[in-house]
Amino acid sequence: MTGNDIPKSHPRYHSLLKREKLVEGFKLGLVVPQGLIAHGRGEAFDYILGERSHDFALQAERVTAALFLLSKKPVISVNGNYAALAPEEIEALSRETGAPVEVNLFHRTEERVRRIYEFLLDHGVENILPPDCEKTRVPGLESKRGIVCRDGIASADFVLLAIEDGDRTEALVSWGKRVAAIDLNPFSRTAQKATVTIVDEAIRATRNIVEFVRELRGRSRDELSRLVEDYDNRRVLSMAFKAMLDRLSLAASKGVL
Ligand code: ATP
C-alpha cells in the first residue's frame, strides 16, 4: 500500500499516511529500523492524547516561536524520522525563521546524512548545512553520536529538535544551549531535560510553530522575552500528564474514549 492507496475516509487516515511516509523514508535510506520502532512509541502517546494539539503543546509551541525570533543563532536539528515525516513543514519553518537546518543523527553514517540532506534540498530547504561542514563534538558525547557542524549546532544559542534521544538532548542543554524538543512522550529523558518540551506530534507541532512565528513577528523584544520568562516547562509537562490521566480516567470509567 502507498500513501495514495489509503482512502481519505479511513478513520486512521493521517496515522496511516505517517506510517507510509516512514516506510518510504526507510526504503530511501533516510530512516533506520530503530526509527520505525521509535515512531510506534510516539503513536501510542498520540493515541492517548486524541491526536490533537492540546493547550500545553500550543503554549510550548508559542514560546518556541518566540525563542526563534529572539535567538542570535537558532538551528533546526533534523534526523531521519523528522525529515521523512515533515519535509514541507521543516522547509516552511526554516524559511519563516531564517534558521538553518542541520542534519544530525544518532545512528550516524555519512551516507545517511547525505541522503537526508538531498531529500531536504529536493523539498525546497535552501538554508541547510552541507554534509561536508566543518565538524566538532558535543562535549560529553562520545562516538559518532556527538558530531555536529561548527557553524551549526555547535555555535547555536537555540536548537529545535524532534524525536530525539535523551542523552543528546541533555548534552546540548549542558553545553549551554536552549533546547526545544518535540516529543510525544512526556516521560522520556528528552522531554524531562529540554528547556521547552512540546508534547505534540512532529508534523502538527512544526505547523503550529510556523503559525506562531507569523503571529509573533513584529512584536517587541521585551514582549517576546516576557513570553519566555513567564513560561514554566514543569507546569506544561504536568498539564500533559494530566491530560493523559483525564482521558484514561474517562475511558476507564466508561469503557470508551
Ligand atoms: P529518551 O532517550 O529521551 O528517554 P526514548 O528512548 O523514547 O527517549 P527514542 O527512542 O530516541 O528516545 O525516541 C524518540 C521519542 O520520540 C519517543 O519518546 C517517541 O515517543 C517520540 N516520537 C516518535 N515519533 C514521534 C512523532 N511523530 N512526533 C513526536 N514525537 C515522536
Side-chain angles (χ1 to χ4, degrees), residues 38-39 41-42 45 85 163-166 182-185 188-190 200-202:
H39 182 74
R41 181 180 289 168
F45 283 100
L85 284 169
I163 319 173
E164 183 55 275
D165 160 74
I182 302 172
D183 190 330
L184 277 160
N185 175 7
S188 78
R189 278 171 314 136
T190 289
D200 202 357
E201 192 281 323

Side-chain angles (χ1 to χ4, degrees), residues 105-122:
L105 305 180
F106 181 86
H107 299 283
R108 184 184 182 101
T109 65
E110 295 314 311
E111 175 62 13
R112 197 156 75 91
V113 171
R114 192 185 55 73
R115 284 180 190 221
I116 296 169
Y117 170 78
E118 283 169 5
F119 180 78
L120 292 171
L121 280 186
D122 287 347

